[in-house]
Amino acid sequence: MKNNYPKPIIILHWLTLCLVLIAYFSSGNPLHDKIWGQVHVMSGLLVFAVSVARVATVYCYRKQLPHNKIISRYQEKLFKLVRLVLYLSLFVVPVMGWLALSSMTSQFDLYSMQLPLAGLTTSNHLIGEAHQFLGNMFIFFVGLHAAAALAHHFIFKDGVLKSMLAKNDK
Ligand code: HEM
Ligand code: HEM
């Protein structure tokens, strides 16, 4: 039986990982560091855009998603909870970043194009701090999710990790 995610979902899953890692490692105040600031904002906005495409793709392929073997009800609940947190973060973290940027400046040029902002300019650092906290929590959950995927592969020796890789026809 074919037990892998459809190719478009696999591509969008690993593309998201690359963009999130770029956004995380280029993070900092985009107004202070010109080059890394551009990279951070661009990759963060792309995370949002790719996630919109991803939700639409998962919906289109909903009848072809693999049913990986469930070890226990507890494990299934945990998987669903982490998946929900990851999906929420993919949208909430970039939006909070955009609001944080809007609270710091009234104009931001992204690769010579003016980025539309929310016009919130204030000396309040709370939005920036919330974005920073949620960004770090996001990476924590990504780590948890990746550790679970590796545990499936190396400890439980099932096909869960392979279901998110290109080939896994059983
Ligand atoms: C998945 C996407 C993103 C992740 C994981 C992320 C993560 C982070 C992290 C961890 C920080 C804190 C860095 C530090 O000072 O130690 C940060 C700062 C910041 N990010 Fe993002 N970010 C993302 C997307 C965005 C986007 C799309 C924007 C703007 C459109 C943005 C704007 C900012 C701003 C303005 C700060 C500085 C906040 C402050 O110093 O108060 N981020 N980001
Ligand atoms: C930004 C980083 C990541 C995010 C946001 C993310 C998100 C997700 C989401 C939402 C799913 C559910 C399927 C879907 O709706 O697309 C999923 C499945 C999966 N992910 Fe990730 N993931 C990330 C990184 C990783 C990493 C680093 C690994 C492996 C080391 C991994 C391995 C898997 C596997 C094996 C599945 C299939 C799980 C199953 O069906 O039981 N992911 N991921």
Side-chain angles (χ1 to χ4, degrees), residues 4-169:
N4 49 319
Y5 279 88
K7 233 184 203 134
I9 295 182
I10 295 179
I11 293 168
L12 290 172
H13 177 270
W14 297 113
L15 176 63
T16 305
L17 173 64
C18 295
L19 291 170
V20 168
L21 289 180
I22 294 173
Y24 187 68
F25 287 111
S26 61
S27 70
N29 189 328
L31 301 179
H32 292 170
D33 193 320
K34 202 115 191 50
I35 294 173
W36 289 115
Q38 296 281 306
V39 174
H40 182 68
V41 172
M42 186 51 132
S43 54
L45 292 175
L46 283 174
V47 166
F48 184 91
V50 167
S51 301
V52 174
R54 179 169 175 178
V55 169
T57 310
V58 168
Y59 181 77
C60 291
Y61 285 94
R62 66 193 179 283
K63 295 204 173 105
Q64 295 172 43
L65 299 180
H67 295 286
N68 285 316
K69 210 174 85 195
I70 293 164
I71 296 172
S72 68
R73 291 279 146 215
Y74 166 73
Q75 182 233 2
E76 191 191 8
K77 280 206 174 105
L78 196 66
F79 168 72
K80 285 188 174 160
L81 182 71
V82 173
R83 187 179 58 184
L84 178 69
V85 170
L86 291 175
Y87 265 125
L88 284 178
S89 304
L90 288 171
F91 294 98
V92 173
V93 174
V95 169
M96 286 301 286
W98 176 71
L99 290 174
L101 191 60
S102 303
S103 74
M104 293 168 169
T105 179
S106 54
Q107 193 188 331
F108 186 82
D109 288 336
L110 185 60
Y111 298 105
S112 315
M113 271 177 16
Q114 197 174 329
L115 183 72
L117 293 172
L120 296 173
T121 329
T122 141
S123 53
N124 187 344
H125 293 294
L126 225 62
I127 308 177
E129 277 167 24
H131 169 64
Q132 183 170 344
F133 174 75
L134 292 174
N136 286 320
M137 285 306 288
F138 181 27
I139 298 302
F140 171 78
F141 276 97
V142 167
L144 208 68
H145 169 72
L150 294 176
H152 271 283
H153 190 69
F154 292 107
I155 300 172
F156 306 125
K157 298 190 192 300
D158 54 22
V160 169
L161 181 58
K162 284 188 188 153
S163 71
M164 203 34 109
L165 298 172
K167 282 222 176 312
N168 183 32
D169 297 340

